[in-house]
């Protein structure tokens, strides 16, 4: 099966003996013990295709009584997206991030977070931020588990979970601060020690870029606070209020196939109330999903995915951040109304996709509620 635009699609069905040989070859190339089929293992190998270096991450695990399952993740560095491609619908977000990552800014510190569910493109956005940095003039140090893409002119450290003392996320962040980095990139904030150490790194003048699992931009702040120990909650929250620079919460939504989607007027597919919610006029042209599909979209009616972004950008001077601290302590939803805070809602992105004919208005209404 291939995962295409988020869905698993059956492609090949091989005989058991052919599959066994293929499994052995893949595990050998990935440096795994191909005689052991009972314990989970991870490895990697690479190949060159049409002049592009492709890295393949291999995860092996047992299946049922005596079977085996392999999952391959293909990482093509040439496929990484830049700011212009990612944020074409969000120019104000691109401009804000570019200012934060400008080579002229040094010693300001700050925390930049990408949040969202698994498979929402957080790592792609994080790497886009790294690509935006002038890595010849500024020292970028990343701490990842595992390292997904090798980045030129950047220092990359691999976390060794549990197997080696001093190689966890928090240990490596503390060690990183002694290597004079301008930017510290943390693969994921997943525990108390990592969050506390990352806040200390931001406070000491390093720009910290990381990802975290959360459903909304505001909930990202709540999730960070949930990692803070009770006895240091107030001081850690104050540091967070001083250092947070932006939060990008994202989803990837399937876009309609323009070869077969149905072109229609807004009034023919949604109610007057729904049109008001989506910011549509009755005579606006929209597109609806064609469930029969066509050859181009493999009879699904959808082709490709688009970024649906919720952004919380904070440009408030440090001397005026007391209201942000009080909002974090009492009602985090108040933060979007504070001075210097600009907020791009997910609903704005949905309206844009519907008007461009990339999303069915009915799906748009569902995404509005989500």
């Amino acid at each position: 099966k291939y995962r295409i635009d988020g869905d698993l699609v059956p492609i090949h069905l091989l005989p058991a003996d052919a599959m066994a040989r293929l499994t052995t070859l893949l595990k050998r190339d990935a440096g795994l013990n191909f005689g052991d089929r009972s314990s989970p293992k991870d490895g990697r190998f690479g190949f060159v295709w049409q002049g592009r270096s492709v890295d393949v991450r291999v995860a092996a695990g047992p299946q049922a009584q005596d079977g085996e399952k392999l999952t391959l993740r293909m990482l093509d560095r040439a496929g990484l997206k830049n700011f212009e491609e990612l944020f074409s619908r969000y120019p104000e977000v691109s401009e804000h991030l570019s200012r934060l990552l400008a080579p002229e800014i040094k010693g300001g510190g700050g925390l930049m977070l990408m949040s969202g569910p698994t498979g929402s493109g957080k790592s792609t956005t994080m790497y886009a931020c790294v690509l935006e940095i002038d890595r010849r003039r500024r020292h970028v140090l990343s701490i990842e588990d595992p390292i997904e893409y090798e980045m030129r002119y950047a220092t990359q450290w691999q976390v060794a979970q549990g197997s080696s003392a001093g190689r966890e996320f928090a240990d490596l962040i503390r060690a990183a601060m002694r290597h004079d980095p301008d930017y510290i990139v943390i693969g994921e904030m997943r525990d108390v020690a990592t969050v506390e150490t990352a806040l200390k790194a931001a406070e000491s003048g390093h720009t910290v870029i990381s990802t975290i699992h959360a459903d909304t931009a505001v909930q990202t702040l709540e999730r960070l606070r949930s990692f803070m120990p009770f006895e240091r909650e107030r001081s850690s929250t104050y540091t967070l209020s001083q250092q947070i620079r932006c939060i990008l919460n994202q989803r990837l939504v399937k876009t309609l196939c323009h070869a077969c989607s149905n072109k229609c007027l807004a009034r023919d597919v949604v109610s007057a109330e729904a049109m008001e919610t989506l910011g549509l006029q009755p005579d606006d042209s929209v597109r609806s999903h064609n469930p029969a599909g066509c050859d181009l979209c493999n009879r699904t009616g959808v082709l490709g995915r688009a970024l649906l972004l919720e952004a919380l950008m904070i440009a408030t001077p440090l001397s005026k951040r007391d209201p942000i601290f009080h909002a974090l302590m009492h009602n985090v939803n108040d933060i979007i109304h504070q001075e210097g805070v600009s907020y791009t809602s997910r609903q704005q992105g949905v309206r844009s996709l519907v008007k461009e004919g990339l999303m069915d208005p009915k799906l748009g209404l569902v995404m509005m509620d989500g």
Side-chain angles (χ1 to χ4, degrees), residues 1-11 69 71-72 254 298 300:
K1 295 178 180 179
Y2 292 179
R3 188 175 288 281
I4 301 173
D5 292 337
D7 291 334
L8 281 176
V9 181
I11 302 290
K69 182 182 191 302
T71 301
L72 277 63
K254 295 176 186 176
N298 199 25
T300 61

Side-chain angles (χ1 to χ4, degrees), residues 89-102:
R89 292 182 186 84
Y90 306 95
E92 67 285 351
V93 175
S94 177
E95 184 182 342
H96 182 79
L97 292 181
S98 296
R99 281 200 304 270
L100 292 178
L101 300 172

Side-chain angles (χ1 to χ4, degrees), residues 115-292:
S115 66
T118 301
S120 59
K122 299 187 297 293
S123 295
T124 299
T125 305
M126 186 176 72
Y127 276 105
C129 290
V130 176
L131 290 175
E132 188 74 8
I133 298 167
D134 184 349
R135 299 185 301 284
R136 291 174 183 266
R137 295 168 57 190
R138 291 286 176 254
H139 181 198
V140 176
L141 193 152
S142 79
I143 301 164
E144 302 170 69
D145 179 29
I147 295 171
E148 294 193 2
Y149 297 95
E150 292 187 6
M151 306 296 294
R152 189 176 296 175
Y153 309 122
T155 304
Q156 292 178 277
W157 290 355
Q158 169 82 46
V159 172
Q161 293 280 6
S163 61
S164 176
R167 292 287 303 278
E168 302 282 343
F169 271 111
D171 302 315
L172 294 181
I173 297 168
R174 278 189 286 269
M177 287 189 275
R178 297 193 288 271
H179 287 261
D180 189 33
D182 298 296
Y183 301 90
I184 299 176
V185 180
I186 304 169
E188 184 185 345
M189 290 197 183
R190 56 174 72 152
D191 56 44
V192 173
T194 304
V195 170
E196 285 206 300
T197 316
L199 285 173
K200 288 176 184 173
E203 197 175 23
S204 60
H206 307 89
T207 300
V208 176
I209 306 169
S210 187
T211 70
I212 189 169
H213 289 283
D215 287 334
T216 66
V218 169
Q219 194 195 70
T220 304
L221 295 167
E222 291 276 26
R223 179 123 171 95
L224 279 172
R225 290 196 64 218
S226 72
F227 284 122
M228 297 173 183
F230 178 75
E231 65 275 11
R232 294 193 296 278
E233 183 181 16
R234 190 174 181 85
S235 61
S236 296
T237 302
Y238 179 78
T239 304
L240 175 62
S241 70
Q242 292 286 298
Q243 298 305 323
I244 193 71
R245 296 290 184 271
C246 74
I247 297 172
L248 304 183
N249 183 270
Q250 54 190 72
R251 299 285 190 281
L252 292 176
V253 294
K254 295 176 186 176
T255 52
L256 296 174
C257 172
H258 264 226
C260 64
S261 57
N262 303 312
K263 198 170 183 180
C264 48
L265 296 177
R267 64 168 177 261
D268 296 331
V269 288
V270 290
S271 64
E273 184 183 353
M275 279 189 282
E276 186 177 349
T277 303
L278 293 168
L280 296 172
Q281 297 298 321
D283 292 329
D284 283 348
S285 177
V286 295
R287 287 179 178 268
S288 62
H289 179 233
N290 176 10

